[in-house]
Amino acid sequence: MKEYLPIADYGLIGNMHTTALVSLAGSIDYLPFTRFDSPTIFAALLDKDKGGYWQLQPTNPNTKFKQLYLPDTGILLTRFFTPDGIAELTDFMPMKQKGGNCAVVRSIKVIKGKIRFKMACKPRFDYARAPHELVREDGTSFFRSKGTDGVQFRFITDQKTQEQNGDLYGEWDLEQGNKAHFVIEAVPQEETSFDRSDLVHYIDKSFKHTVAFWREWIGQCTYNGRWRDMVLRSAITLKLLTSREYGSTIAAATFGLPELIGGVRNWDYRYTWIRDTAFTMYAFLKLGFMGEATQFLEWLMQRCLDLKEAEELQLMYAVDGQKQLAEYDLESLSGYMNSAPVRIGNDAYKQFQLDIYGELIDTLFLFNKHGGPITYEFWKYVSLFVDYVVDHWQDNDHGIWEVRDEKKDFLYSKVMAWVALDRGIKIAESRSFPAPLEKWLQTRNEIYKEIYNNYWNEELQSFVQSKGADVLDASVLMMPLVRMFSPAEPRWQATLKAIEKYLVTDTLVYRYNLGSGATDGLDGLEGTFSICSFWYIENLAKAGFDVEARLQFEKMLGYANHLGLYSEQIGLQGELLGNFPQAFTHLALISAALQLNDNLSDPARATVT
């Protein structure tokens, strides 16, 4: 009987078109096929009985497991330690070439002893909604959906398998030095041929090409500071979540994973948020990956060409720029540990979130600073966005946390409106672009005064979530990070103390306290937000508390899973919750690490510990 594993017990593989999650026990329990937001063929992570999976492991029940990545790559190794010996499973997705097919490669090698293995390949097409058939031709097995999706993949192995109820099973004994190879590959319905004798050559060639791809990419990184392994692992994770075809980045690999076990906060994060991708490009730029930022701006330019008005810019899109992301509940999947509903699509795409303009223009500012070619044609759209902020900065919106009840005048949105104007002015001055600078400057100053005077709560001695509120919100931690306030500003220092008092527990940070009057239109509680923890740490570093910041940062690293991956939240018992892995958390880790490393590397800031 298959059971649910902790979310933390998974590793990520991918080909920058889609991703898969491989469990510590050697089972692929999640795979949208063949794009990030495609329907799944394996989704046991979201329904252990009906979701489908591809399991490959020793038969001995006393097996122990260990997972690690091949250094500087996205290739995952799972080691099996059994009473009969040691074996190693290698999982990866070959980097898809133009005209190539989406594939998953799995290879087992026995390191010591003699081990019996079992395999079960049980796909469930279209989120477990479509039946399938299994056709075996000339030693190759073809799984074909009977649904309207028309998906087919072939299963190739050098081991004997048996069919049972439309699925494939097998058991084999392998001795020291023996290998077994397995590939699934997307193929058109009409394609039915594969030279099985070419399997080992195909796997060997794909492995070497994939290793070379990752190490060549990592070689572009300019960061050589502290915690480099964790920084690079976060960068590789962000790269795995970035579309090779389009240059857009999804918020997380998964959909439907709960923010609270048994709760209703179960969203689909397989889309491109302007906010998240802008921050991701910031992380890439700071690490020296200029190409990723350039490709994203090309993607963004395509979105701009579709606009007639600035207000038509959506806060999120599909990776290819599709605008309609209608949300609905899947009846076919019961949810991770019965956390329902399982949603696909995301109705937040229809929300108004003012802050996206600031995050986007801030990224363009950094891109320009690093020598990126912002053309005048593109500047005309940027100028359009800044003008829109001038006219609408006082409008209420749904905010960074995408609350699903009423719109409010959120502080974070006003901060990012200020950023949009500030960075727009700086870009125009840097490049001598035509712009109504006097009007922009006047509005920027108005926003600053509005925030300073009207979002301050005298009783709490803190800036608060919205005007006149008495609710603290961790998103205020972005104020010094975007250089709106100096860490030495008295009101900011008081705010940081208030956040530490009400939202921080050790190094873990709640985004807001649902028990203190904060509301987002949904029932249930939630865990601490890891992105907020890294924002907090970066603030400590900016304020000069280097020793404390380093301590908190290194403690926060201990909340990652065994592979250095984070989901969105951390639960009451330290468990990872929410969609996994989450880009936002990993980019915040990178930003905090870079700030702290700069501090610690500066002799003038040397602190006696």
Side-chain angles (χ1 to χ4, degrees), residues 39-41 124-130 145 147-149 330 332:
T40 54
I41 58 171
R124 299 295 181 262
F125 289 83
D126 190 22
Y127 303 114
R129 295 181 298 189
S145 171
T148 57
D149 52 332
L330 280 175
S332 56

Side-chain angles (χ1 to χ4, degrees), residues 568-589:
E568 184 174 43
Q569 299 181 33
I570 295 172
L572 185 63
Q573 301 176 58
E575 71 276 24
L576 298 187
L577 293 172
N579 286 308
F580 171 83
Q582 195 208 31
F584 228 160
T585 302
H586 285 278
L587 62 90
L589 181 155

